[in-house]
Amino acid sequence: MRYDLASYIYEPINALLEKPAGIRKARRELIEKARGRVIELGVGTGLNLPLYREGVEVIGIDVSEGMLRKARKKKSPARVKFLKVDARSLPFPDGSFDTAVSTFFLCVVPEKERILREIRRVLKPNGILLAMECSPPRNPIFRGFLRGLSALTSKITGTDFRVDVGELLRRNGFDVIEEKGLVNGAVRILVAKPSSEP
């Protein structure tokens, strides 16, 4: 239910924060790496949709009908289909996708390990995961502040800066091949692939 309510404030908040923090530019650069058949997890209001390249096929999933209603209004060079789906149980066969996209999704949802198992399952062995997520900042004072803030935001919106998403990926069957930080590391951009290890 909170995601339906958040659909009304999500874009105005992002519009205020993304450009000055460099997130908008990083989002564009990340999405341009998507190729082939793409699953976008937690597509939300569709902020990424205009950024996909032509020729890409995107399946945008979300549990919130409110978010999906807004996403359906977005234009995209890609071919896009929307499904109301819970990422903890993806209704796709193994190896269905070339690319998985998660922007501020893994740092919000519960049962992250279960979702990562599902992402790894539906990705092709040579597929990639493109992620932009909240993360613990490098600066200890800033990290302490966001840790305290996360105790509140994780209950209200799910947003949690206490989880190192890079480490989470490594523990759950992914090799991180690119990683960089924004906002003193409070936002992490990651490119990962399914590990060859079982």
Side-chain angles (χ1 to χ4, degrees):
M1 181 61 174
R2 68 178 181 218
Y3 299 120
D4 284 344
L5 294 172
S7 71
Y8 295 99
I9 61 168
Y10 183 72
E11 289 198 37
I13 289 172
N14 275 277
L16 284 173
L17 299 177
E18 285 204 355
K19 192 169 182 182
I23 294 169
R24 186 172 300 169
K25 180 175 182 278
R27 183 191 289 270
R28 179 177 298 281
E29 290 170 356
L30 186 71
I31 298 305
E32 284 178 351
K33 294 179 182 181
R35 56 182 167 77
R37 191 165 189 241
V38 179
I39 181 169
E40 182 167 337
L41 302 124
V43 68
T45 61
L47 285 177
N48 294 331
L49 296 179
L51 308 178
Y52 285 102
R53 295 178 185 272
E54 192 174 347
V56 171
E57 178 190 355
V58 179
I59 308 294
I61 69 160
D62 210 293
V63 293
S64 165
E65 188 55 46
M67 291 283 193
L68 290 172
R69 250 193 316 273
K70 293 185 180 298
R72 287 185 188 105
K73 296 176 183 175
K74 296 285 193 307
K75 295 194 183 305
S76 177
R79 288 170 292 146
V80 182
K81 179 180 178 182
F82 300 101
L83 293 173
K84 187 175 178 183
V85 167
D86 189 326
R88 293 173 294 185
S89 183
L90 296 172
F92 307 106
D94 296 1
S96 295
F97 296 95
D98 302 288
T99 308
V101 171
S102 170
T103 54
F104 302 109
F105 171 73
L106 287 170
C107 60
V108 170
V109 292
E111 298 187 63
K112 300 176 196 319
E113 291 84 359
R114 180 176 170 185
I115 289 169
L116 283 171
R117 285 194 297 273
E118 279 292 274
I119 294 171
R120 189 168 187 258
R121 181 184 67 75
V122 301
L123 270 179
K124 294 177 180 176
N126 64 342
I128 57 169
L129 168 62
L130 306 173
M132 178 184 288
E133 304 291 347
C134 303
S135 193
R138 289 183 298 272
N139 180 288
I141 295 170
F142 191 26
R143 187 168 57 244
F145 168 73
L146 287 181
R147 185 181 296 125
L149 184 64
S150 292
L152 177 64
T153 59
S154 62
K155 290 181 175 63
I156 299 170
T157 66
T159 306
D160 197 336
F161 290 89
R162 296 170 293 188
V163 177
D164 183 329
V165 176
E167 185 53 37
L168 183 70
L169 290 174
R170 292 180 188 96
R171 287 197 320 263
N172 286 277
F174 287 89
D175 294 327
V176 176
I177 54 177
E178 292 178 36
E179 184 172 0
K180 67 178 182 178
L182 294 173
V183 200
N184 205 294
V187 173
R188 290 274 164 173
I189 298 103
L190 306 110
V191 179
K193 62 179 184 177
S195 173
S196 55
E197 299 294 320

